[in-house]
Amino acid sequence: MGHHCCNKQKVKRGLWSPEEDERLVKYVTAHGHSCWSAVPKHAGLQRCGKSCRLRWINYLRPDLKRGTFSEQEERTIIDVHRILGNRWAQIAKHLPGRTDNEVKNFWNSCIKKKLIAQGLDPKTHNLLPASKTLLHGNGPNPSNRAHQFHSNGAIANDGGAVAATTPPFTISSPTKAAAYDTVTVGPPPPQMAPAPAIYDVRNTAGMLMGHEHHDQQAAAGAEAIPGYPYTDNGGGVLMSFRDQNAGLQTSMDFMNVSSSSSSMDHAAGMPNGNGFSQAMGTAFMDVTPGMWSTTAVVERGMCAGIEVAQQQQQPLPPQGLVHGEVVARPIVMNGGAGAAADKGMDMVDVSSVYGGAGATAFDLELMESCGLFCGSGGGGSTGNAMEQLQWDC
DNA sequence: AACAGGGGCAACCGCTTGCCG
DNA sequence: TCGGCAAGCGGTTGCCCCTGT
């Protein structure tokens, strides 16, 4: 069955011959492709317009990069896929010269198998159940909240011990690696939240994160942890994002997966996708006073590469760090400005951590591509929560 | 040398989205 | 608002080539 657009025509199918390629390239180079349906006719090809378009986009475009994927490209694919899921076109935008088809094929033929071989679910990037059992020696356990993938590839379990396992893969982009100092530290202090994971909120537009204090007792009955004012199992953790450039503010309730925003557009500009949505749905803030170390427990749909470690105002004693934490280089702390300060919010200027707009093209593009909270299934039940988030705005 | 099986990749299919009249 | 058309996109198919027997 041919394309509906070319049912009436007798069109050739299958592999393209060099002659056909040449005709198409000549025509498109000379005349462009304002209307693909007209291209085969004018180029003298017995193909349908759709086929011509595909051939041009995937193989004949002059700006295409052919050949095997580099290690960095592979990392980028994994990182972005973790957040966006199977949105190949979006992923391909982060890889100049690569097409969605190429990325998709590479994923299916190579990366997917690697992840599975390493005990990771290629859909969610979580550890597969069998691997969790191996790591923890017991079945599903609520306390086993975080399987942490650190930038060095090590896995830390709840106890905070960084497993001395072979890194399943490198989860951080080179640019990220350059932005962090990795610190290996001892066991977390008692007041630390269980299973702190690390996430990364990067917004090259100059996002401000505000951690609003919610001191409600956990609905689940968990007691408030001393020195742990941001943990709120019941009421959720509200996280505010302010775009310094746009002057807009968005807040998110990590536990309840709701949000409010002064701007619909800005709310829609939040990072989205499976990784973020699922991770945020269970994010667990830990901003220990005086330490300024923010961690998050990320459970299902964990964004292994979404690491955020904030710095502290004072040089951080190693024992004050969350175990295995990746520590960002010093950034400017805004002790709470305007209404945020009035509300007792600790404002953290994240922007400088990442060097502002010049941080990495990847992150900027990623944030753009994450324009809507519209996770595409990705295997997570909380994907729609972010869709709901849009409606909540 | 011949054959089978598997992997990788190019191309196709069909659904969705966006635009325009 | 609706319908038609074209483009975009992700999933799937099928061919080709490589490798092992």
Side-chain angles (χ1 to χ4, degrees):
Chain A
M1 186 178 75
H3 295 148
H4 65 274
C5 63
C6 47
N7 281 339
K8 302 170 191 170
Q9 311 165 22
K10 192 175 183 181
V11 296
K12 186 183 171 186
R13 296 178 55 192
L15 295 180
W16 281 64
S17 68
E19 292 75 24
E20 287 176 310
D21 282 346
E22 190 182 346
R23 280 175 180 268
L24 184 58
V25 168
K26 269 187 182 175
Y27 179 80
V28 174
T29 303
H31 304 96
H33 51 78
S34 55
C35 180
W36 280 111
S37 58
V39 166
K41 181 183 172 187
H42 294 135
L45 292 164
Q46 301 296 313
R47 299 269 183 176
C48 73
K50 200 168 184 175
S51 185
C52 291
R53 174 186 159 271
L54 209 60
R55 183 66 183 172
W56 173 260
I57 289 175
N58 286 337
Y59 301 97
L60 300 178
R61 261 165 47 198
D63 58 331
L64 286 180
K65 183 203 294 183
R66 304 312 301 258
T68 55
F69 282 76
S70 69
E71 212 170 298
Q72 182 178 347
E73 287 177 312
E74 185 176 335
R75 278 197 300 269
T76 299
I77 292 171
I78 293 170
D79 282 343
V80 182
H81 183 276
R82 183 168 44 235
I83 296 169
L84 298 177
N86 292 359
R87 293 158 75 179
W88 307 116
Q90 290 295 312
I91 295 172
K93 285 178 183 174
H94 299 289
L95 301 162
R98 301 294 188 182
T99 68
D100 56 346
N101 206 35
E102 209 174 357
V103 170
K104 180 173 58 181
N105 284 336
F106 182 57
W107 176 270
N108 286 327
S109 65
C110 184
I111 299 178
K112 200 173 175 181
K113 289 169 188 170
K114 277 189 188 177
L115 294 181
I116 291 171
Q118 290 157 356
L120 297 170
D121 186 338
K123 279 187 178 178
T124 64
H125 295 253
N126 282 341
L127 283 173
L128 291 166
S131 300
K132 287 183 180 179
T133 304
L134 280 174
L135 272 178
H136 297 286
N138 53 21
N141 182 343
S143 68
N144 295 340
R145 297 177 65 90
H147 305 285
Q148 304 171 29
F149 295 89
H150 297 264
S151 62
N152 61 4
I155 302 171
N157 61 14
D158 294 341
V162 176
T165 57
T166 303
F169 57 87
T170 306
I171 60 171
S172 298
S173 66
T175 51
K176 181 189 292 182
Y180 291 107
D181 293 321
T182 301
V183 179
T184 302
V185 297
Q191 72 271 20
M192 282 296 165
I198 297 168
Y199 65 93
D200 180 5
V201 176
R202 295 185 285 177
N203 186 331
T204 54
M207 180 179 69
L208 288 174
M209 293 165 49
H211 312 296
E212 187 166 13
H213 297 237
H214 280 233
D215 287 331
Q216 303 170 12
Q217 287 288 334
E223 292 183 8
I225 302 172
Y228 202 164
Y230 301 91
T231 300
D232 186 348
N233 296 334
V237 174
L238 184 65
M239 194 167 185
S240 293
F241 300 87
R242 176 185 294 176
D243 188 316
Q244 288 178 320
N245 298 328
L248 301 171
Q249 185 160 343
T250 299
S251 59
M252 289 191 60
D253 183 331
F254 279 76
M255 298 304 285
N256 296 326
V257 197
S258 62
S259 73
S260 61
S261 174
S262 59
S263 163
M264 183 70 159
D265 289 340
H266 185 61
M270 294 286 293
N272 86 316
N274 301 330
F276 254 105
S277 62
Q278 294 175 10
M280 283 185 171
T282 53
F284 195 86
M285 302 296 295
D286 173 12
V287 181
T288 304
M291 197 180 93
W292 295 89
S293 173
T294 298
T295 62
V297 170
V298 180
E299 197 173 9
R300 41 195 315 276
M302 183 182 74
C303 311
I306 300 183
E307 304 172 354
V308 166
Q310 293 172 1
Q311 77 313 330
Q312 54 273 35
Q313 288 173 302
Q314 307 293 330
L316 184 66
Q319 63 270 23
L321 284 173
V322 172
H323 187 81
E325 184 169 357
V326 178
V327 180
R329 288 180 176 147
I331 58 174
V332 176
M333 304 297 295
N334 295 335
D342 294 341
K343 291 166 70 178
M345 297 172 68
D346 303 317
M347 302 302 295
V348 182
D349 185 346
V350 185
S351 61
S352 58
V353 176
Y354 307 105
T360 73
F362 164 77
D363 291 327
L364 181 58
E365 295 273 327
L366 177 59
M367 289 307 175
E368 288 173 354
S369 68
C370 292
L372 295 173
F373 285 99
C374 51
S376 61
S381 61
T382 55
N384 288 336
M386 283 305 178
E387 295 175 7
Q388 184 61 45
L389 183 92
Q390 278 190 284
W391 292 103
D392 291 343
C393 294

